[in-house]
């Protein structure tokens, strides 16, 4: 039976595709306040600014391509039962060929209703722009399918179950600063082999049961593959 290999990814995996991270020196949160663009209150009071912020993110994602880290993760489906749990709102894992991708913080290519009932009903966005005229079937304005600060993370329990059954867990390209998502990496079972891939993480910053592969995502994936296929 194939072993269960789980990737827990963050913005760093898409950095080599040209998509900005959040907390690196030139990251998005250097240029924007979270409160201005990534909360339900911001959407209610400053809808145009929030809408424009996510339209720009969507445009960048559409113009980007999966890099070799995304692609290597997809190829590992030949050897393992692979699940990807991502905090990213880009769709680069899917476009690289990964079949089991769970988005904790939403998917920028989709919209959902901004009405009072927050249903799990999503509307694909054609192109990069979501406009004031885009409405759901009940007539409410569509908003980006993004989990904003202060909102529930609906996929959290599904992600927890996946990690609790992992044989190998790989945390790649995330600062693990944002909860509850970051807490998931501590749910790996005792017999699970755990790795971190990040060029900026030192050994003392990670739990002792994690192996530190201090590299960019693409180089780190090549190193990981040598280790887990040996
Ligand atoms: P961060 O920007 O917080 O962290 C990015 C991580 O990627 C850092 O640890 C970097 O060292 C690392 N990194 C940078 N370049 C890399 C590369 N080429 N290869 C591998 N790693 C690299 O991004 P996240 O941890 O994803 O949430 O942020 C978590 C959440 O905070 C996001 O999902 C978003 C954000 O606010 C919401 O918007 C709700």
């Amino acid at each position: 039976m194939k072993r269960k290999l789980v990737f827990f990814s963050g913005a760093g995996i898409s950095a080599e595709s040209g998509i900005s991270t959040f907390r690196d020196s030139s990251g998005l949160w250097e240029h924007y306040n979270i409160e201005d663009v990534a909360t339900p209150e911001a959407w209610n009071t400053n809808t145009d600014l929030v809408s424009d912020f996510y339209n720009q993110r969507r445009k960048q994602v559409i113009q980007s391509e999966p890099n070799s880290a995304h692609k290597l993760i997809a190829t590992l489906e030949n050897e393992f039962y692979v699940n990807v749990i991502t905090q990213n709102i880009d769709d680069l894992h899917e476009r690289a060929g990964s079949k089991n991708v769970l988005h904790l913080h939403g998917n920028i290519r989709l919209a959902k209703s901004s009405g009072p009932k927050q249903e799990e009903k999503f509307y694909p966005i054609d192109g990069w722009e979501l406009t004031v005229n885009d409405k759901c079937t009940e007539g409410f304005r569509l908003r980006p399918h993004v989990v904003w600060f202060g909102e529930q993370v609906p996929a959290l329990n599904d992600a927890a179950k996946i990690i609790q059954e992992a044989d190998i867990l790989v945390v790649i390209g995330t600062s693990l600063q944002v909860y509850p998502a970051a807490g998931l990496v501590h749910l790996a079972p005792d017999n699970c082999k755990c790795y971190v891939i990040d060029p900026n993480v030192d050994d003392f910053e990670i739990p002792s049961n994690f192996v530190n592969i201090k590299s960019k995502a693409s180089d780190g994936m090549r190193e990981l593959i040598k280790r887990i296929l040996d």
Side-chain angles (χ1 to χ4, degrees), residues 9-22 54 57-67 70 84-96 101-110 145-146 173:
S9 70
I13 195 171
S14 298
E16 290 167 81
S17 296
I19 298 181
S20 317
T21 63
F22 294 95
Y54 286 102
R57 307 280 72 72
R58 195 174 302 106
K59 193 187 253 183
Q60 191 183 40
V61 166
I62 290 170
Q63 289 167 351
S64 303
E65 295 294 332
N67 63 54
H70 299 103
V84 178
I85 299 169
T86 187
Q87 297 164 94
N88 297 345
I89 57 174
D90 68 54
D91 60 352
L92 297 185
H93 282 297
E94 288 92 335
R95 281 159 56 196
V101 183
L102 187 65
H103 285 268
L104 289 171
H105 293 160
N107 179 339
I108 191 68
R109 306 295 299 271
L110 302 175
H145 171 30
V146 170

Side-chain angles (χ1 to χ4, degrees), residues 5-10 168-176 182 185-186 192-217 219-221 223-224 227-228:
L5 171 58
V6 177
F7 289 89
F8 183 85
S9 70
I168 304 173
L169 171 65
V170 184
V171 176
I172 180 165
T174 171
S175 63
L176 294 178
V185 303
H186 301 294
C192 178
K193 189 90 186 155
C194 301
Y195 297 86
V196 171
I197 300 175
D198 192 304
N200 304 314
V201 167
D202 289 312
D203 289 351
F204 69 84
E205 295 174 280
I206 58 176
S208 56
N209 58 324
F210 277 74
V211 176
N212 190 8
I213 300 181
K214 191 172 173 173
S215 304
K216 285 185 175 179
D219 291 341
M221 277 303 301
E223 176 62 28
L224 174 85
R227 296 187 188 207
I228 63 177

Side-chain angles (χ1 to χ4, degrees), residues 106-167:
N107 179 339
I108 191 68
R109 306 295 299 271
L110 302 175
K112 63 183 181 182
S113 170
S114 61
K117 263 197 302 170
Q118 283 293 315
E119 304 165 277
E120 293 289 292
K121 186 170 172 189
F122 304 112
Y123 300 78
I125 300 169
D126 191 17
W128 64 272
E129 197 177 18
L130 191 61
T131 74
V132 286
N133 300 320
D134 293 318
K135 305 267 168 53
C136 73
T137 43
E138 280 80 40
F140 294 104
R141 188 170 174 188
L142 288 175
R143 57 165 271 188
H145 171 30
V146 170
V147 173
W148 285 320
F149 286 88
E151 294 188 313
Q152 300 284 326
V153 179
L156 200 65
N157 287 343
D158 289 344
K161 277 188 210 137
I162 292 168
I163 292 183
Q164 280 163 341
E165 292 182 357
D167 295 307

